[in-house]
């Protein structure tokens, strides 16, 4: 509907004043008082001193004006052009959530805040926007080359000899030689001396493979080539300048910087190195898997700072390798190098973050504890893509072997990439914080828990286990915070809505409406998004990137609808992008799954308006789910508790009227909190037992509330369906042991059949990763035992042959209560 002329005039005036305001009120200190500042507007007329150039009158006008104010001149022509001009500042600069803030509990010495700040996103693919390069007659091709040539040359010291002379490495060489000979071998024996030479040669070979050999000229040439290629592949490479400034401050502090990105693509370390290079920040040495040591590429990556490590390291059996690797990383930091590695290890195959592995992080912490380095900066990094370069990981999720990395495979991928388009790429840096602060906070928490074990008469953890627990918790904290602050891209949001809300298709208008509602929710939760503009245009952009192989248009009686293709490979690929939003919805989904389980039989009774559920039952079931999925997700920060998470979700559900507000419930919450405080502060020798009141929640069972519960429930359902299929598969075994590789294939085949028969609701639940993680979870629950011999894993049931395992039977029945289909 067209607006009245008066409304159009008001809108034009408002837009013009707002743009003029933003244009002329920027200062070095940034906006104050919530982003607002007074502004003086001086209209143009014949009596204006500014227009006539009267310096004396101009001085009189300004002498009593506050310094924060600025005057400027405009005429009516500015306002008339407000609707037609491209206001670049308004398109790029806006209030955004200050993403990647430090944990206020674990990093108390770093100021934190959740207030939104003005952030001016910058596209690094516009070379004239990031440097002092002026457009020349030769075009952008030559201008780009000139820009990279003028970049600062960084200093990289080659530390090969320092590692060989390290006392720890020398001891490891002697120990390896002694083990190869005999326990009583001593220096001077001919056999021992010969073995020492063999182990020294082995050490040099290991170090040659590990060591990076950075060359600045290679960095500049490859940086320019990469820049040109990404310009062809992507619409933009987006960063936030405020984040870059923070990284630069950390890099200039003199302490080593540890970059810890989430791992989604091989482009991750390329993008990070490129972003740092074009901003004249020293790029780090990058830990790369030995699978990337292929012809030509391995040497090239070594010149760019890659050092190669084994994918799986047994620190007890291969002590020599571990000592060389540890010494190399420690001496690199000691000599001013920065380090980058992926806590998750391999790339995610499902789109969500993986549970971290803390091996390399333990080396960094050891360097701090051993005083090799004074301290270090921790900077979690996230890369976000509209589309990933590799395509998809469907083959691997369906149980097919991973293709080996080869030179020709890399060339083939590169050629395919040039012929495709990948939308927007974005690099985000969390706020840097000190390694010392995080380590000391988590270590203190671990020691307090160890002391409580002693007070309760339980066996305390050894110092080694305590240290390992601390480092593991540090890794989980870093990954959790980084995943929670990763921006949401357009394809992520569209795939998530199609899979969880419109699996059978919907109109573009309805999808745009739901996307707008989601954007509002993400904004309220201080989550940033990697797209802007009208929701309908965002959806069209995302659908264009996804292509007709994943999403199709259909003409129906109700109009033209957009619909995801429901084939299993397509659903797995769509879920890869949609799973990026699990970080925002996973807690709500766990609680929704539990609520649906507790009120299941009342879904059929439409006459019931509300149901009462027990908090103890709710927390108990949520605890079970977090333990069951502990190898798929990091649900809780080490400094947080499950009770706090449940309370937060319950309050959120109260706002959405899923849980009905109850004043008595608020009083019970307060009384419990006060009782806990009094109990913890009591100095009496005799501590009275604390009796917790079981709070009752009133669940709204109207249609709107149940639809919201079903939506939240659907987020985590594919993982639970896979867990249910895995548990049920063990009940059909005739033997009490089976080879893991064979049993995985059996489960995959059974899941395909169950999907065709309608027993499974989610095709994306067919996932190799989740099946393997289910075995680890069942082992934690003492339902089976995993043994490894000659690199072959065997799953052993804790029961007699031809008998059902009661533990696995109970596990299967319990999971089935969560995944039963609702009407």
């Amino acid at each position: 509907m067209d607006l009245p002329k008066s409304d159009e005039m008001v809108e034009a005036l408002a837009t013009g004043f707002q743009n003029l305001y933003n244009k002329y009120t920027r200062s070095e200190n940034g906006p104050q008082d919530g982003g607002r500042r007074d502004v003086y507007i001086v209209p143009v007329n014949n009596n204006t001193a500014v227009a006539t150039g009267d310096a004396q009158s101009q001085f009189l006008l300004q002498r009593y004006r506050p310094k924060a104010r600025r005057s400027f001149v405009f005429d009516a022509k500015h306002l008339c052009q407000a609707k037609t001009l491209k206001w670049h500042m308004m398109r790029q600069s806006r209030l955004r959530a200050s993403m990647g803030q430090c944990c206020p509990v674990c990093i108390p010495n770093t100021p934190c805040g959740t207030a939104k700040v003005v952030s001016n996103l910058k596209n690094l693919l516009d070379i004239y926007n990031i440097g002092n390069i002026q457009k020349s007659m030769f075009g952008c091709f030559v201008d780009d080359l000139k820009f990279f040539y003028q970049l600062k040359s960084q200093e990289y010291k080659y530390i090969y000899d320092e590692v060989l002379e390290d006392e720890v490495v020398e001891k490891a060489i002697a120990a390896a030689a002694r083990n190869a000979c005999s326990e009583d071998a001593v220096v001077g024996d001919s056999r021992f001396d010969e073995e020492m030479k063999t182990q020294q040669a082995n050490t040099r070979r290991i170090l040659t493979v590990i060591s990076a050999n950075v060359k600045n000229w290679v960095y500049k040439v490859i940086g320019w080539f990469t820049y040109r290629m990404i310009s062809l592949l992507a619409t933009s490479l987006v960063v936030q300048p405020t984040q870059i400034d923070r990284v630069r401050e950390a890099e200039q502090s003199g302490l080593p910087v540890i970059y810890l990105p989430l791992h989604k693509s091989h482009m991750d370390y390329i993008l990070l190195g490129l972003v740092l290079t074009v901003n004249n920040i020293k790029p780090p040495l990058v830990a790369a898997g030995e699978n990337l040591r292929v012809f030509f590429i391995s040497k090239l990556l070594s010149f760019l700072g890659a050092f190669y490590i084994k994918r799986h390291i047994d620190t007890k059996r291969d002590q020599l390798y571990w000592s060389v690797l540890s010494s190399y990383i420690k001496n690199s930091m000691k000599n001013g190098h920065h380090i980058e590695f992926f806590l998750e290890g391999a790339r995610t195959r499902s789109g969500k973050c993986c549970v971290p592995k803390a091996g390399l992080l333990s080396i960094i912490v050891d360097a701090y504890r051993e005083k090799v380095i004074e301290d270090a900066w921790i900077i979690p990094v996230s890369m976000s893509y509209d589309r990933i370069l590799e395509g998809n990981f469907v083959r691997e999720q369906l149980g097919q072997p991973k293709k080996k990395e080869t030179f020709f495979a890399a060339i083939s991928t590169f050629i395919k990439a040039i012929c495709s388009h990948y939308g927007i790429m974005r690099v985000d840096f969390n706020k840097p914080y000190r390694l010392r602060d995080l380590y000391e906070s988590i270590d203190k928490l671990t020691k307090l828990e160890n002391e409580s074990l002693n007070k309760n008469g339980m066996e305390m953890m050894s110092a080694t286990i305590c240290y390992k627990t601390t480092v593991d918790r540090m890794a989980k904290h870093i990954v959790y915070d980084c995943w929670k602050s990763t921006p949401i891209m357009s394809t992520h949001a569209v795939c998530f809505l199609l899979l969880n809300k419109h699996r059978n298709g919907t109109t573009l208008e309805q999808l745009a409406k739901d996307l707008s509602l989601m954007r509002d929710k993400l904004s309220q939760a201080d989550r940033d998004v990697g797209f802007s503009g009208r929701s309908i245009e965002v959806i069209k952009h995302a659908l264009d990137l996804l292509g007709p192989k994943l999403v199709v248009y259909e003409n129906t009686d109700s109009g033209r609808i957009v619909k995801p293709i429901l084939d299993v490979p397509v659903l797995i690929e769509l879920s890869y992008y949609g799973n990026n939003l699990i970080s925002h919805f996973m807690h709500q989904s766990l609680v929704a799954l539990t609520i649906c389980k507790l009120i299941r039989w009342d879904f059929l009774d439409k006459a019931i308006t509300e149901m009462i559920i027990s908090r103890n039952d709710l927390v108990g079931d949520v605890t079970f789910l977090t333990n069951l999925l502990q190898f798929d997700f990091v649900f809780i920060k080490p400094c947080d508790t499950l009770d706090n998470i449940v309370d937060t979700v319950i309050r959120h559900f109260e706002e959405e009227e899923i849980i009905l507000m109850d004043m008595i419930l608020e009083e019970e919450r307060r009384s419990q909190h006060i009782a806990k405080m009094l109990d913890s502060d009591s100095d009496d020798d005799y501590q009275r037992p604390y009796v917790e009141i079981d709070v009752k929640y009133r669940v709204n069972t109207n249609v709107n509330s149940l639809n919201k519960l079903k939506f939240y429930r659907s987020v985590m359902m594919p993982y639970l369906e896979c867990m249910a299929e895995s548990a049920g598969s063990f009940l059909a075994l005739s033997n009490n042991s089976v080879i893991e590789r064979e049993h995985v294939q059996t489960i995959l085949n059974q899941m395909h059949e169950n999907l065709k028969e309608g027993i499974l609701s989610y095709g994306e639940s067919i996932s190799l990763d989740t099946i393997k993680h289910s075995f680890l979870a069942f082992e934690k629950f003492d339902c089976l035992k995993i043994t490894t011999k000659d690199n072959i894993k065997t799953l052993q049931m804790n029961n007699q042959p031809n008998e059902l395992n009661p533990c696995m039977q109970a596990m299967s029945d319990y999971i089935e209560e969560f995944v039963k289909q609702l009407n």
Side-chain angles (χ1 to χ4, degrees), residues 387-671:
R387 280 182 61 201
I388 59 168
L389 192 70
E390 288 85 341
N392 60 64
F393 300 98
V394 174
R395 293 183 67 262
E396 296 175 37
Q397 291 292 66
L398 292 177
Q400 299 179 32
K402 177 185 174 182
K403 289 184 177 180
K404 187 177 180 181
E405 304 283 355
T406 63
F407 175 75
F408 295 105
I411 295 298
S412 175
T413 301
F414 177 72
I415 294 174
K416 291 178 181 178
I418 293 179
C419 301
S420 302
H421 184 62
Y422 296 90
I424 298 172
M425 299 179 181
R426 178 166 169 175
V427 180
D428 283 84
F429 298 87
N430 281 27
K431 192 170 185 178
Y433 54 86
R434 295 291 187 95
L435 171 70
R436 175 181 57 199
D437 293 335
L438 181 62
Y439 170 72
E440 291 179 353
S441 297
I442 302 297
D443 187 51
K444 182 179 179 180
L445 177 64
T446 305
K447 289 178 179 178
L448 288 174
E449 291 185 3
N450 205 21
E451 291 175 2
S452 67
L453 291 176
N454 187 32
K455 291 180 180 179
N456 295 327
M458 302 174 66
E459 184 180 357
M460 295 180 63
M461 295 182 289
S462 65
T464 303
I465 296 178
C466 261
Y467 174 64
K468 185 178 183 301
T469 302
T470 297
V471 177
D472 286 341
R473 286 177 169 177
M474 290 173 63
K476 289 181 178 179
H477 202 314
I478 294 168
V479 166
Y480 179 92
D481 287 342
C482 194
W483 193 33
K484 277 285 188 177
S485 61
T486 301
I488 305 302
M489 308 301 285
S490 60
T491 50
H492 303 168
V494 171
C495 290
F496 180 83
L497 288 173
L498 289 175
L499 291 179
N500 294 281
K501 215 167 188 179
H502 302 294
R503 189 172 285 257
N504 296 320
T506 186
T507 61
L508 277 177
E509 291 73 18
Q510 182 60 45
L511 190 59
K513 181 180 178 181
D514 291 334
L515 179 60
S516 297
L517 292 174
M518 178 182 289
R519 292 169 73 172
D520 291 340
K521 287 185 177 180
L522 293 172
S523 178
Q524 292 170 8
D526 293 330
R527 288 294 298 268
D528 198 6
V529 294
F531 54 88
S532 59
R534 295 171 56 232
S535 292
I536 190 74
E537 299 299 332
V538 171
I539 291 172
K540 290 179 180 179
H541 167 76
L543 295 178
D544 181 58
L545 288 172
L546 293 172
K549 293 183 179 179
L550 302 181
V551 183
V552 296
Y553 289 102
E554 287 186 359
N555 293 319
T556 63
D557 296 337
S558 58
R560 198 180 189 195
I561 65 172
V562 57
K563 182 180 180 181
I565 297 175
L566 299 182
D567 293 338
V568 172
V570 173
L571 289 172
I572 293 175
E573 185 170 355
L574 289 174
S575 69
Y576 178 93
Y577 296 104
N579 284 345
N580 286 273
L581 272 95
I582 291 183
S583 61
H584 180 71
F585 290 101
M586 61 182 177
H587 294 151
Q588 294 98 310
S589 186
L590 292 178
V591 175
L593 278 161
T594 300
I595 291 175
C596 291
K597 169 183 175 291
L598 296 175
I599 66 171
R600 180 177 311 282
W601 304 115
D602 300 286
F603 269 84
L604 302 176
D605 192 346
K606 305 299 182 182
I608 299 177
T609 59
E610 65 181 57
M611 278 293 301
I612 305 298
I613 61 173
S614 164
R615 175 187 168 82
N616 286 349
D617 293 341
L618 179 68
V619 174
D621 284 341
V622 172
T623 302
F624 168 76
L625 292 179
T626 57
N627 290 331
L628 181 67
L629 298 171
Q630 63 180 299
F631 297 101
D632 280 288
F633 297 94
V634 180
F635 286 109
I636 310 171
K637 294 188 295 184
C639 56
D640 204 354
T641 64
L642 192 61
D643 281 339
N644 291 338
I645 289 174
V646 170
D647 286 341
T648 302
V649 175
I650 291 298
R651 290 189 179 92
H652 174 73
F653 281 3
E654 285 175 347
E655 295 174 0
E656 295 200 20
E657 298 182 350
I658 297 173
I659 301 291
L660 298 175
M661 293 283 267
D662 197 334
M663 295 304 297
I664 299 177
L665 178 58
E666 282 298 321
E667 292 297 328
E668 289 177 346
R669 285 174 180 164
R670 270 193 218 98
S671 63

Side-chain angles (χ1 to χ4, degrees), residues 20 56 62 96 194 210 228 256 280 286 292 302 342 374 414 463 472 475 613 645 656 658 750 763 814 816-817:
L20 291 171
Q56 179 66 24
Q62 295 181 349
R96 294 179 179 273
E194 183 179 347
I210 289 178
R228 296 303 308 171
N280 275 319
V286 185
L292 294 178
S302 179
F342 301 97
E374 178 186 351
F414 177 72
D472 286 341
I613 61 173
I645 289 174
E656 295 200 20
I658 297 173
Q750 186 63 46
Y814 198 15
E816 284 293 339
E817 289 296 314

Side-chain angles (χ1 to χ4, degrees), residues 698-722:
R698 296 163 52 219
V699 182
N700 189 357
T701 56
N702 63 25
V703 175
N704 187 37
S705 173
L706 295 183
N707 286 337
K708 290 179 182 178
L709 280 174
K710 289 180 180 179
F711 166 72
Y712 286 124
R713 179 179 184 264
S714 66
V715 175
M716 300 292 292
M717 269 296 292
Y719 295 92
L720 280 186
E721 277 197 342
C722 188

Side-chain angles (χ1 to χ4, degrees), residues 290-310:
E290 278 196 327
N291 60 308
L292 294 178
R293 291 188 65 237
V294 296
F295 170 72
F296 177 71
I297 295 178
S298 60
K299 199 67 175 177
L300 182 62
L301 292 180
S302 179
F303 290 154
L304 298 175
F307 62 96
Y308 297 96
I309 62 175
K310 292 181 180 179

